[in-house]
Amino acid sequence: MSTDSGSASGSGPGSPGSREKTTAKAILISIVAAVGGFLFGFDSSVINGAVDALNDQFGLQDSPLLSGFAVACALLGSAAGAWFAGPAADRYGRVRVMLIAAALFAISSIGSGLAFAVWDLIIWRILAGVGIGIASVIAPAYIAEIAPAHIRGRLASLQQMAIVLGIFVALLSDALLAGIAGGAAETFWLGLPAWRWMFLVGIIPSVIYAILALRIPESPRYLVAKGRMEEAGRVLAQVLGQPVESVQAKVREIAVTLEREEKPSLRDLRGHAAGLRPIVWVGILLSVFQQFVGINVIFYYSTTLWQAVGFSESDSFLASVINSLVNVLATVVAILIVDRVGRKPMLLGGSAGMVVTLGIMAVAFSQAIITVGADGSEEPSLPGPWGPIALVAANLYVVAFAVSWGPVVWVLLGEMFPNWLRAAALSVAAAAQWIANFLITVTFQSLADIGLTLAYGLYALFALLSFLFVSKYVQETKGKELEDMVAPQ
């Protein structure tokens, strides 16, 4: 499963020996593209504050499976959206597909906010998931294709920063609406309960995303693929801060990497390694390991988790907020160092950190004491120092993930594939990521019922496997031009 991505010596701008220049245009364009990541984070998390009110509204208290599916169904839609995003981007362009994602976000926000039954809420949430899946593919692909090589890692990391900010804003928005109304189920503006406005407010970032997307140029590599050489040259000149004449060699180099008789499609992924090209398997496994280390358990179940080990409701909420802020701050660190340290060392360091911290959490939860209340209910708690130890370990685990596997996987998925394979391969890898996310989300409660030690011990094992995988199969891409990426059979 070798993934040799070619020499680091590219002949185009940004390669070693050329004048590396960071332009405000490249940064601003990348920020706009990353707004899709904000919607990704916002729309995937906004339902959290509405769950209890939804259960009351649609009588789901006695249907935990249906209630859980209403929350998790967006992940299945995300897998579908990611799968089709690449081929659509190759056919219609990156910017047009961004607009499709923005439209899906807006429509699903309205539909979810006005849902009259659980079945139509599920339909709207799946539609939102399709938009999330599209955004998860298009943003990293577009940023990688527009960014100069020497800052590509930092700009591509903006995707993860936007995601964590979207999650934070969604939770903050939910809290504010519920607080003003007096509860998620209480009546708010226009006679609608607050939980409906939690979804409806998603229209605002959707419209902003669409307006901004209309103001950014198409990817130069897509333009070359469509034979629009002059336009591609103008875009490259803008983002590289060079005269149009000086980027013509780069345009020709891109054209060479795109020369092929057939149009890009999912068929391009086929190879001799279990039916796929080795580099595609690397992308899929990077995505799967990013989820199998259990990070979303912290963010989807954090408050419930801390209450389960004896924290009060207010302390559990505080612990969850701390986790979220730590996630944001660690992502900032990742953005600052990714183009200096490199992708592979960051992944290895993150895996090692997660093995240790998840192991500590597994040991801490093994010390839980179960007390039986007067009503016969079981109430677990962590004795002595184990509660603070678990809290510190959980935050260090978030740091280890957020400074490495969170942003770096998106960076690699956007840049590790050759030009003609990128969109299709990224679609499959992102779809695998959403399926893995769904599996971890729906299995956690069953694992937790057996024991949190088992759950976190299993995630620690996956973190160890991720270390071994990166050590053997992942190649460094820092500083390489996208035209230097190759795909072995």
Side-chain angles (χ1 to χ4, degrees):
M1 197 183 288
S2 172
T3 60
D4 181 13
S5 294
S7 169
S9 60
S11 60
S15 61
S18 66
R19 182 168 178 261
E20 296 180 340
K21 183 176 181 180
T22 300
T23 66
K25 185 81 171 180
I27 295 172
L28 291 173
I29 289 173
S30 298
I31 290 174
V32 170
V35 175
F38 179 90
L39 286 175
F40 167 169
F42 184 94
D43 229 38
S44 62
S45 300
V46 72
I47 195 171
N48 289 353
V51 172
D52 290 340
L54 287 172
N55 289 340
D56 292 338
Q57 177 76 36
F58 300 127
L60 301 179
Q61 297 90 340
D62 297 325
S63 304
L65 183 62
L66 185 58
S67 175
F69 185 75
V71 174
C73 65
L75 299 175
L76 297 179
S78 298
W83 181 269
F84 291 107
D90 280 333
R91 182 169 184 176
Y92 303 112
R94 280 54 167 158
V95 172
R96 288 180 181 174
V97 175
M98 287 182 196
L99 295 174
I100 293 173
L104 291 174
F105 281 128
I107 293 169
S108 63
S109 295
I110 296 172
S112 298
L114 301 179
F116 54 83
V118 68
W119 65 265
D120 81 304
L121 174 67
I122 289 173
I123 291 175
W124 296 120
R125 291 301 297 161
I126 290 175
L127 189 65
V130 174
I132 293 169
I134 291 173
S136 72
V137 171
I138 294 304
Y142 178 87
I143 293 173
E145 292 179 344
I146 206 80
H150 69 286
I151 59 167
R152 190 173 61 236
R154 274 171 280 175
L155 296 184
S157 296
L158 292 173
Q159 160 86 343
Q160 181 68 13
M161 173 58 76
I163 292 171
V164 298
L165 287 175
I167 292 172
F168 180 78
V169 170
L171 297 176
L172 180 62
S173 172
D174 287 355
L176 288 174
L177 289 168
I180 294 172
E186 300 301 319
T187 302
F188 189 51
W189 196 35
L190 298 180
L192 297 175
W195 71 263
R196 294 188 180 276
W197 283 104
M198 292 177 185
F199 292 113
L200 291 171
V201 75
I203 299 171
I204 298 173
S206 301
V207 172
I208 292 174
Y209 182 41
I211 293 173
L212 291 176
L214 288 170
R215 300 181 64 84
I216 61 176
E218 185 52 82
S219 159
R221 286 156 177 91
Y222 169 79
L223 293 172
V224 171
K226 295 300 181 181
R228 295 154 64 179
M229 304 299 189
E230 185 177 344
E231 189 176 350
R234 289 198 301 269
V235 174
L236 275 175
Q238 289 175 356
V239 298
L240 295 174
Q242 298 179 7
V244 175
E245 297 77 16
S246 67
V247 299
Q248 293 309 309
K250 183 65 175 178
V251 172
R252 290 192 295 271
E253 185 181 352
I254 294 172
V256 168
T257 66
L258 291 169
E259 283 180 355
R260 55 204 316 271
E261 295 179 0
E262 298 178 358
K263 293 182 179 180
S265 73
L266 293 174
R267 291 190 301 273
D268 298 330
L269 307 182
R270 295 174 183 170
H272 301 301
L276 295 174
R277 293 176 181 273
I279 199 170
V280 177
W281 278 118
V282 171
I284 289 172
L285 289 172
L286 278 171
S287 290
V288 169
F289 277 123
Q290 189 198 50
Q291 297 304 315
F292 274 17
V293 295
I295 188 63
N296 281 318
V297 167
I298 291 291
F299 295 113
Y300 291 171
Y301 294 102
S302 56
T303 301
T304 302
L305 173 66
W306 296 119
Q307 285 180 302
V309 293
F311 281 46
S312 67
E313 182 177 357
S314 59
D315 287 343
S316 296
F317 180 75
L318 178 60
S320 299
V321 171
I322 291 172
N323 279 153
S324 179
L325 291 176
V326 166
N327 192 21
V328 172
L329 293 175
T331 303
V332 172
V333 173
I335 292 173
L336 295 176
I337 68 174
V338 65
D339 284 316
R340 297 178 183 178
V341 176
R343 285 60 158 157
K344 186 169 183 174
M346 290 176 69
L347 289 179
L348 290 173
S351 293
M354 289 188 291
V355 170
V356 174
T357 52
L358 285 166
I360 293 173
M361 291 172 71
V363 172
F365 291 133
S366 73
Q367 306 301 309
I369 296 175
I370 306 296
T371 57
V372 180
D375 59 354
S377 61
E378 294 184 346
E379 299 178 358
S381 62
L382 293 180
W386 289 108
I389 288 174
L391 180 60
V392 171
N395 280 286
L396 290 178
Y397 162 65
V398 170
V399 170
F401 178 88
V403 82
S404 60
W405 280 80
V408 174
V409 167
W410 290 114
V411 172
L412 280 170
L413 292 181
E415 68 185 8
M416 64 187 285
F417 305 112
N419 284 333
W420 56 270
L421 189 67
R422 180 172 300 110
L426 182 48
S427 286
V428 172
Q433 185 172 131
W434 287 111
I435 292 172
N437 189 338
F438 178 80
L439 292 175
I440 288 295
T441 302
V442 299
T443 58
F444 172 72
Q445 196 58 60
S446 297
L447 289 173
D449 289 342
I450 298 173
L452 288 172
T453 297
L454 172 64
Y456 284 99
L458 185 61
Y459 302 148
L461 174 61
F462 282 122
L464 176 60
L465 293 175
S466 74
F467 182 93
L468 299 175
F469 166 72
V470 172
S471 298
K472 186 171 183 180
Y473 297 118
V474 174
Q475 300 296 318
E476 183 58 67
T477 56
K478 181 183 73 170
K480 293 182 179 180
E481 291 291 328
L482 296 186
E483 284 61 53
D484 292 328
M485 307 298 178
V486 298
Q489 296 294 322

